[in-house]
Amino acid sequence: MAVHCPLIAQEGVIITGSLTQNPLQQPLGELPVIEFRGVYKTYQNGTHALRDVNLKIYKGEFVFVVGASGAGKSTFIKLIVREETPNAGAVSVNGFKSGAMTRRDVPRLRRTMGIVFQDFRLIPGMTVFDNVAFAMRVVGASNFDIRKRVSSALNLVGLGGKARSRPNELSGGEQQRVGLARALVNNPSLIIADEPTGNVDPNMSYEIVELLTEINRRGTTVIMVTHEHQLVRDFNRRVVMIESGSVIADSAAGGVL
Amino acid sequence: MKPQSMSYLTGEGLKNVWVNRMMSLASVGVLIACMLLIGVAVAFSLNVDKSLGTLQEQNVVMVYFEDGREETANLQSIDEIQHMDNIKDAVYIPKEEGLRAQLEQLGTEYEAIFSWLEEENPLPDGAMVTLSDLSEYDATYNALQALPGIKNVNGSRDVAMMVTTVSRIIGLAGFWIILLLMLIALVIIANTIRITIHNRRLEISIMKAVGATNWFIRIPFIVEGMALGVISGVLTTGLLYLVYSFATQSVNKYYPGQLELVPFRSFYLNLFGIFIAIGLFAGVAGSLVSLGKYLKREGSAFGAIH
């Protein structure tokens, strides 16, 4: 069974299609895209990063994850992308269950999502086009597909005219939009944005979140970690607040920010 | 893996040789030094082997038959000797031939004085026996001595032992020197790849984040290591040719007719093969060793890049 999500096609046209294989081989139906059940994470140095986290995120949701530094937001993200494994409880993402995953499943899981980093993570020696294309080369896309879809992704984030520029020739906001195009280019069903506005000016922050909102409107689930409470209030979406490793508020469950 | 991925990754690996050109240059330089030493060790060992081989062929054992034996019995014994273990050759020397050879050695001025010996030849019939392996000298000597109709066996045991010992020492020393140099080559390549990994950790983290398999990440590094190995192998063969030509010219100049070095063309292809094999092995193993630890850490996709 496939997960449906927006696809980037030729000349910037957005169509809907199937992309990601569900390894469970059963209809997702109302199953959450992400589910945390009684998750605990303690690092080797004794830090309790997460305690008894229970959370469900459904297809098409836009979720802000907020909390102070050291609250456990990064660990929450790391468990989603399978950089860390829980000490207790279970994490399920796009049908991949933490307890049943092998090392080989990790790349497969990550191909179902796009990640946007706070520090952009663009390769300085590559052009904007090549930075975005890089994500497609990793999954073995043909040159023909790369040319088509990279252009579409750059048009979507409003950087169609800057394909030949180098990252250092762009503003912080533009660089983050390249990062967003890279996250989108493989048509993921889920976008994880780890403080994407952390290194851009306030005006650009709004543009970035607006872009994420637009991507979400087209069916992609978006999880955005942020410190910026004003931004969260202005966009009025589901908010999950983490403090000392526990979810202390979830607007979907009636919590308030 | 798809063909387009393979060609992309190979291209990336080769590109990295140029991108990290200072490190590549340092690695190729040290690899050449190691391989050149290996080449010199091999060339030296081949030449010593050749000299020892000549010495070994000259080191014959003389077997003397008891007096009064029929020639047919002696020839039967020769046949028996030829079929013994560790015997390369056995040539029958009747006593008349033996005496003639001795007189020839004495020279014409003494030939007339000792000519009466031809009437009453005191020498026994004998055989000149060449051994295949001098390290088995004692066992072969005893076996010959134990044959019926044999009066005594004369040989240069000391020379045989010396040749065997030198040959063994050179073989052993050559093996350890080559092994040590190969290990050094491996460490050098692994170090270069480690630095490349450090320089490219941003790309690796992005690759991991977008779902690259570990093999996808490894291939460019392996290609880079292999390319460094092959470049070093080709350059070392060329350099060794120059060094060996110079050595050959010097030997011909200072020891004309006395020493003859093994020709370069007779062994350079094998040596080139060894260099390429060392380079490829060091490239592949060095890359895998360096990447192994790095890729095991799942944290690199999201970890901070400093």
Side-chain angles (χ1 to χ4, degrees):
Chain A
M1 189 63 192
V3 177
H4 287 266
C5 62
L7 288 172
I8 297 165
Q10 270 178 301
E11 283 134 35
V13 179
I14 305 294
I15 56 168
T16 302
S18 66
L19 248 190
T20 313
Q21 202 73 29
N22 171 14
L24 297 177
Q25 297 298 310
Q26 63 185 49
L28 285 178
E30 290 303 308
L31 284 175
V33 174
I34 295 173
E35 183 174 9
F36 278 59
R37 268 184 294 140
V39 172
Y40 286 82
K41 178 66 191 177
T42 303
Y43 288 105
Q44 281 185 336
N45 63 6
T47 307
H48 298 293
L50 290 181
R51 303 158 197 259
D52 194 24
V53 173
N54 290 283
L55 189 78
K56 285 179 182 174
I57 296 172
Y58 289 90
K59 183 177 176 300
E61 277 197 280
F62 189 120
V63 182
F64 284 113
V65 178
V66 297
S69 291
K73 304 189 300 293
S74 292
T75 302
F76 176 74
I77 296 291
K78 283 179 179 177
L79 286 166
I80 293 174
V81 303
R82 181 71 181 201
E83 259 198 29
E84 297 291 348
T85 49
N87 297 114
V91 177
S92 169
V93 179
N94 280 339
F96 289 89
K97 291 183 173 178
S98 59
M101 276 180 75
T102 62
R103 288 175 73 87
R104 284 185 163 201
D105 288 328
V106 177
R108 291 181 195 145
L109 164 73
R110 289 181 185 165
R111 288 179 191 195
T112 69
M113 58 178 79
I115 303 174
V116 182
F117 300 95
Q118 181 182 1
D119 56 1
F120 319 137
R121 300 227 171 155
L122 302 179
I123 300 162
M126 287 185 185
T127 62
V128 164
F129 183 95
D130 287 337
N131 265 286
V132 179
F134 187 65
M136 289 187 74
R137 296 201 192 281
V138 167
V139 296
S142 67
N143 285 335
F144 179 73
D145 279 344
I146 290 172
R147 275 195 298 275
K148 263 191 333 190
R149 281 161 55 183
V150 171
S151 302
S152 297
L154 288 174
N155 285 335
L156 186 69
V157 298
L159 288 175
K162 300 218 168 179
R164 296 201 168 276
S165 303
R166 302 263 170 187
N168 61 1
E169 295 162 3
L170 305 177
S171 68
E174 285 174 326
Q175 288 188 48
Q176 192 55 292
R177 281 192 277 158
V178 177
L180 200 51
R182 184 180 59 199
L184 283 171
V185 78
N186 284 328
N187 291 314
S189 59
L190 172 66
I191 293 278
I192 310 284
D194 183 23
E195 304 201 29
T197 58
N199 282 337
V200 296
D201 63 56
N203 287 341
M204 274 297 166
S205 295
Y206 277 84
E207 277 188 28
I208 297 289
V209 183
E210 270 165 10
L211 257 175
L212 285 168
T213 309
E214 176 59 22
I215 290 158
N216 170 248
R217 199 179 59 75
R218 295 173 182 191
T220 307
T221 310
V222 177
I223 297 169
M224 176 175 155
V225 173
T226 184
H227 275 114
E228 296 175 58
H229 286 200
Q230 189 56 48
L231 204 69
V232 173
R233 283 191 201 96
D234 291 347
F235 278 88
N236 193 30
R237 296 300 182 116
R238 180 181 171 188
V239 183
V240 171
M241 184 177 248
I242 301 177
E243 197 178 287
S244 303
S246 301
V247 174
I248 57 159
D250 184 350
S251 61
V256 287
L257 184 66
Chain B
M1 191 167 288
K2 295 175 184 172
Q4 63 262 31
S5 296
M6 205 58 214
S7 72
Y8 168 74
L9 295 174
T10 307
E12 284 297 296
L14 295 175
K15 207 167 75 184
N16 289 339
V17 174
W18 177 248
V19 172
N20 306 311
R21 51 191 173 276
M22 286 316 289
M23 271 316 298
S24 300
L25 199 68
S27 307
V28 167
V30 185
L31 268 176
I32 285 176
C34 282
M35 288 189 187
L36 206 56
L37 287 173
I38 292 175
V40 169
V42 169
F44 180 73
S45 151
L46 281 173
N47 278 290
V48 171
D49 256 8
K50 187 194 166 202
S51 308
L52 288 179
T54 313
L55 206 59
Q56 191 158 338
E57 275 172 19
Q58 285 168 358
N59 188 33
V60 292
V61 173
M62 288 304 298
V63 173
Y64 296 106
F65 297 106
E66 284 169 355
D67 294 333
R69 276 187 108 210
E70 291 293 325
E71 182 162 291
T72 48
N74 289 343
L75 288 171
Q76 254 180 5
S77 294
I78 294 287
D79 189 52
E80 203 176 329
I81 291 169
Q82 278 170 337
H83 286 92
M84 281 169 62
D85 284 342
N86 197 33
I87 300 298
K88 193 175 176 188
D89 197 17
V91 181
Y92 181 54
I93 302 172
K95 57 184 178 184
E96 296 77 21
E97 200 179 308
L99 181 67
R100 208 174 306 128
Q102 292 286 340
L103 290 176
E104 271 173 24
Q105 270 188 1
L106 289 171
T108 45
E109 47 193 297
Y110 293 100
E111 220 170 312
I113 302 170
F114 292 105
S115 60
W116 59 272
L117 283 173
E118 284 175 17
E119 304 297 322
E120 284 179 56
N121 189 345
L123 296 178
D125 293 322
M128 191 167 74
V129 179
T130 310
L131 309 190
S132 303
D133 180 5
L134 282 185
S135 66
E136 300 292 318
Y137 179 89
D138 284 344
T140 313
Y141 179 91
N142 292 335
L144 288 169
Q145 189 78 65
L147 285 173
I150 301 295
K151 190 175 172 187
N152 67 341
V153 179
N154 281 349
S156 312
R157 185 178 185 281
D158 292 346
V159 175
M161 291 302 108
M162 187 269 288
V163 168
T164 308
T165 310
V166 171
S167 180
R168 195 173 294 151
I169 288 171
I170 285 175
L172 207 64
F175 171 79
W176 285 109
I177 288 170
I178 289 169
L179 192 73
L180 184 73
L181 291 171
M182 275 183 71
L183 277 175
I184 293 172
L186 188 75
V187 169
I188 292 160
I189 290 258
N191 223 28
T192 308
I193 300 291
R194 191 168 295 141
I195 292 167
T196 312
I197 291 168
H198 185 77
N199 291 340
R200 298 189 65 209
R201 62 202 185 285
L202 171 67
E203 282 169 62
I204 294 173
S205 86
I206 298 165
M207 282 187 195
K208 293 196 86 173
V210 296
T213 59
N214 282 350
W215 274 110
F216 188 94
I217 298 170
R218 279 186 195 116
I219 286 169
F221 293 102
I222 293 173
V223 170
E224 186 181 349
M226 286 166 73
L228 290 176
V230 171
I231 292 170
S232 308
V234 171
L235 292 177
T236 308
T237 310
L239 271 173
L240 193 69
Y241 171 73
L242 295 177
V243 171
Y244 201 77
S245 298
F246 178 73
T248 310
Q249 277 172 11
S250 302
V251 165
N252 289 343
K253 188 177 169 189
Y254 296 108
Y255 304 98
Q258 296 170 39
L259 253 179
E260 197 187 336
L261 294 186
V262 179
F264 189 69
R265 65 176 180 279
S266 70
F267 66 90
Y268 88 97
L269 269 179
N270 288 339
L271 205 58
F272 181 64
I274 291 171
F275 289 156
I276 297 295
I278 293 172
L280 291 179
F281 173 74
V284 174
S287 316
L288 293 179
V289 165
S290 297
L291 274 168
K293 280 184 191 169
Y294 193 82
L295 291 178
K296 265 184 193 166
R297 288 192 345 233
E298 291 292 334
S300 60
F302 246 90
I305 307 280
H306 297 292

